[in-house]
Amino acid sequence: MQLTPPAPPLAVQMLTIAEDDAGQRIDNFLLRICKGVPKSHIYRVLRSGEVRVNKGRIDQTYRLVEGDIIRVPPIRIAEKQTQVVAPGAEFKILLEDNHLLVIDKPAGVAVHGGSGVSYGVIEQLRAARPQAKFLELVHRLDRDTSGILLLAKKRSALTNLHEQMRDGDTDKRYLVLVHGDWQNERQHVKLPLHKYTAADGERRVRVQADGQASHTIFNLIRRYGDYALLEAELKTGRTHQIRVHLSASGFAIAGDDKYGDFALNRTLQKADGQRVALKRMFLHAYQITFAHPETGKPVTLKAPLPPECERFLKSLSKDIPAAMSEAKGDQNIS
């Protein structure tokens, strides 16, 4: 692994705003280009007037216009001993054009660095594509979740897709395997979710009355004895929403090490008779529908279940009576 010291910007920079950077706020632009600089320092130099746009003073809410000339003052970053350089990597591509890059992310890979992870998908893709002027995550997936991940190659595409997601115009669906006697063919779960930090520093989510409104629809695909394969349809996009909604409803996701059944997970990690081992969380983002940010035409993309999940389902299906795979009922939980 290559290590290199950081290179803080210690001289005045004069930057010209290109099309891809137009429309964003000056504070967000500075936070992006001045990696490692605390937010408090960025806002301090903005308030002091050291940052100028077209030789004039601006405040932190100013939105950049193509052709703007930005004066960025010398900013000293507290030096770190080492900085890990992400190795370049590519992932299975589901769609790529001048506006979008859509990949099939494997389980076990973080989407970005932080929280004990030196780098993730975004850093690896940027390292593999040094010529790319712009590459940003449109949304996130948990480290242990596999499947469809959208990245924007233009600022306009990022803004457009964020608006679609805020307005509920995108359709994201997951495949998830739960343990328990799932009864309903279609089930709505509407439970408010609250984010908090646990004693060990981990980010967690729980159901709480004053939390954010959250809504997931679960469709039964097939039963496998004591397990059920579900399609999760997101109506809101909260952190850990599917995992917490299922856990609070009494159904553990197979392999979920945060909200699942820990004793069950230990059992699943070892093969048992005809059943193969499952050494990951069974949650996969398998389908998304959105309007293309340039043409406005609908785009639907699918990512098949990873081989390890397919193998696990096949091992569960052996010797299970056909009657056990029938779906029934409909119920709302709120």
Side-chain angles (χ1 to χ4, degrees):
M1 184 178 295
Q2 182 184 1
L3 298 176
T4 183
L10 297 179
V12 170
Q13 299 181 79
M14 303 300 292
L15 306 176
T16 301
I17 298 303
E19 177 187 357
D20 286 341
D21 292 317
Q24 66 180 309
R25 282 175 39 151
I26 183 68
D27 53 352
N28 293 329
F29 173 76
L30 292 173
L31 287 167
R32 181 168 63 83
I33 67 168
C34 299
K35 298 293 186 184
V37 179
K39 280 187 176 182
S40 58
H41 190 45
I42 293 292
Y43 287 111
R44 187 158 56 246
V45 296
L46 279 168
R47 286 194 300 270
S48 71
E50 295 178 76
V51 176
R52 299 289 179 112
V53 177
N54 304 326
K55 299 183 179 181
R57 294 185 63 145
I58 40 82
D59 64 19
Q60 66 193 45
T61 64
Y62 176 79
R63 291 194 177 273
L64 298 171
V65 177
E66 183 178 0
D68 277 351
I69 298 176
I70 313 300
R71 178 193 186 274
V72 181
I75 299 176
R76 183 176 295 278
I77 305 173
E79 293 190 8
K80 300 178 182 179
Q81 291 183 344
T82 58
Q83 179 179 349
V84 177
V85 176
E90 289 285 357
F91 301 88
K92 181 180 178 181
I93 296 174
L94 302 175
L95 171 68
E96 182 170 14
D97 57 26
N98 291 332
H99 293 76
L100 294 173
L101 172 62
V102 185
I103 66 167
D104 186 354
K105 184 189 84 68
V109 180
V111 296
H112 58 75
S115 301
V117 179
S118 298
Y119 53 81
V121 169
I122 186 64
E123 292 86 3
Q124 289 181 284
L125 283 170
R126 286 171 178 162
R129 298 163 173 243
Q131 75 285 356
K133 294 181 179 179
F134 185 91
L135 191 61
E136 295 286 349
L137 293 165
V138 174
H139 63 111
R140 288 165 172 76
L141 290 178
D142 292 343
R143 182 177 183 176
D144 297 324
T145 302
S146 56
I148 300 172
L149 181 67
L150 272 63
L151 299 99
K153 296 170 70 175
K154 288 180 177 289
R155 170 70 56 184
S156 57
L158 181 67
T159 302
N160 179 279
L161 288 165
H162 280 171
E163 288 177 355
Q164 290 187 51
M165 290 180 177
R166 281 196 301 269
D167 295 342
D169 294 333
T170 57
D171 185 344
K172 291 194 286 186
R173 303 197 180 205
Y174 295 68
L175 293 175
V176 57
L177 188 73
V178 298
H179 183 260
D181 185 19
W182 188 275
Q183 291 294 309
N184 306 310
E185 183 176 359
R186 184 171 174 85
Q187 182 164 311
H188 294 254
V189 178
K190 298 178 181 178
L191 296 170
L193 300 178
H194 170 73
K195 287 192 288 188
Y196 68 100
T197 302
D200 58 3
E202 284 283 322
R203 181 182 61 171
R204 297 293 179 97
V205 177
R206 63 179 173 236
V207 173
Q208 189 167 301
D210 61 351
Q212 291 182 301
S214 307
H215 182 193
T216 315
I217 301 173
F218 295 100
N219 301 302
L220 176 61
I221 296 176
R222 184 182 172 186
R223 295 190 183 88
Y224 293 84
D226 294 333
Y227 298 86
L229 180 65
L230 310 175
E231 177 193 64
E233 180 182 342
L234 290 181
K235 292 302 183 182
T236 54
R238 312 303 183 198
T239 301
H240 298 170
Q241 177 174 316
I242 295 172
R243 300 167 72 175
V244 178
H245 273 178
L246 285 170
S247 176
S249 301
F251 296 90
I253 298 178
D256 187 345
D257 63 0
K258 277 191 176 181
Y259 306 101
D261 183 326
F262 307 125
L264 172 67
N265 292 343
R266 286 194 296 271
T267 300
L268 293 179
Q269 289 176 359
K270 299 178 182 179
D272 180 16
Q274 292 181 326
R275 178 183 58 74
V276 301
L278 180 68
K279 298 185 178 182
R280 56 158 289 178
M281 178 172 64
F282 201 121
L283 181 58
H284 177 69
Y286 89 100
Q287 181 176 296
I288 190 167
T289 299
F290 57 91
H292 192 280
E294 181 186 28
T295 66
K297 294 180 179 179
V299 177
T300 297
L301 299 172
K302 295 185 178 182
L305 267 177
E308 66 271 18
C309 293
E310 287 281 11
R311 286 194 296 269
F312 186 74
L313 288 181
K314 287 179 181 178
S315 71
L316 288 180
S317 65
K318 294 176 181 177
D319 299 325
I320 294 177
M324 297 185 71
S325 67
E326 294 177 359
K328 60 182 179 180
D330 192 342
Q331 182 178 345
N332 292 338
I333 293 180
S334 57

